[in-house]
Amino acid sequence: MKSLERIDVQLYVDAGRRDDFRAAVERDGMVRDFESEVRCRDGSTIWISENARAIRNERGEVVCYEGTVVDVTAKRAAALLQSEKEAAEAANRTKSEFLANMSHEIRTPLNGVMGMLELLGTTTLDAKQKRFVHLAQSSSDALLGL
């Protein structure tokens, strides 16, 4: 087992988090729910939440920290998953609203075109013109069905 000589580098994934921890304890005398990503012995990483207070000597110097450490990896993963789910749901709502608006914007002029084609079909047309009107009406019906 390798000894722990530099906790900031060996334990903390972001070495600056140890400095942040120490600064918070120095400033406030304690920390609550201070989260950091740390390395495990097997090389994997986990997220921890630290609650700690400074133990000082008679000169007021910090000699050690006293507190608890809790693994919050699962809690963070669940929060991330929830956040991603909410983002996906918001994107789906936006897509649905867009499609509903576009559907309305397309249907309104299409109904006007279909009305004009119906009126055109009641006029005197040769066979070729009637076929064109029929094709345009079929195409309009197909578009309206979408």
Side-chain angles (χ1 to χ4, degrees):
M1 179 173 119
K2 194 163 135 180
S3 67
L4 197 57
E5 296 169 8
R6 291 225 22 226
I7 194 170
D8 59 335
V9 175
Q10 290 174 277
L11 182 64
Y12 288 83
V13 172
D14 174 2
R17 287 304 284 166
R18 181 63 177 175
D19 293 334
D20 295 342
F21 172 85
R22 293 169 85 176
V25 174
E26 284 289 329
R27 181 186 63 242
D28 303 329
M30 63 178 289
V31 293
R32 293 188 53 81
D33 303 320
F34 186 89
E35 292 189 2
S36 303
E37 187 177 19
V38 296
R39 291 181 189 85
C40 299
R41 284 185 181 156
D42 66 2
S44 64
T45 62
I46 62 170
W47 282 89
I48 60 169
S49 176
E50 298 175 83
N51 295 316
R53 67 184 183 103
I55 304 298
R56 299 177 185 274
N57 63 19
E58 54 282 341
R59 292 184 305 273
E61 301 166 332
V62 175
V63 291
C64 66
Y65 302 106
E66 174 180 77
T68 60
V69 175
V70 177
D71 182 346
V72 293
T73 306
K75 180 180 100 175
R76 286 182 64 96
L80 178 61
L81 188 60
Q82 180 65 29
S83 174
E84 289 172 349
K85 179 183 177 227
E86 289 169 3
E89 287 171 347
N92 193 41
R93 278 191 303 277
T94 300
K95 179 190 76 169
S96 295
E97 289 170 10
F98 172 79
L99 289 174
N101 288 336
M102 288 306 299
S103 176
H104 173 74
E105 294 300 320
I106 291 170
R107 267 194 328 268
T108 301
L110 186 56
N111 282 326
V113 169
M114 292 173 76
M116 290 290 115
L117 286 171
E118 191 172 326
L119 288 174
L120 182 60
T122 63
T123 63
T124 305
L125 301 171
D126 63 32
K128 188 175 185 180
Q129 291 170 326
K130 284 183 183 183
R131 193 174 88 241
F132 290 160
V133 168
H134 177 72
L135 283 172
Q137 286 175 323
S138 295
S139 297
S140 297
D141 285 340
L143 280 174
L144 195 61
L146 293 176

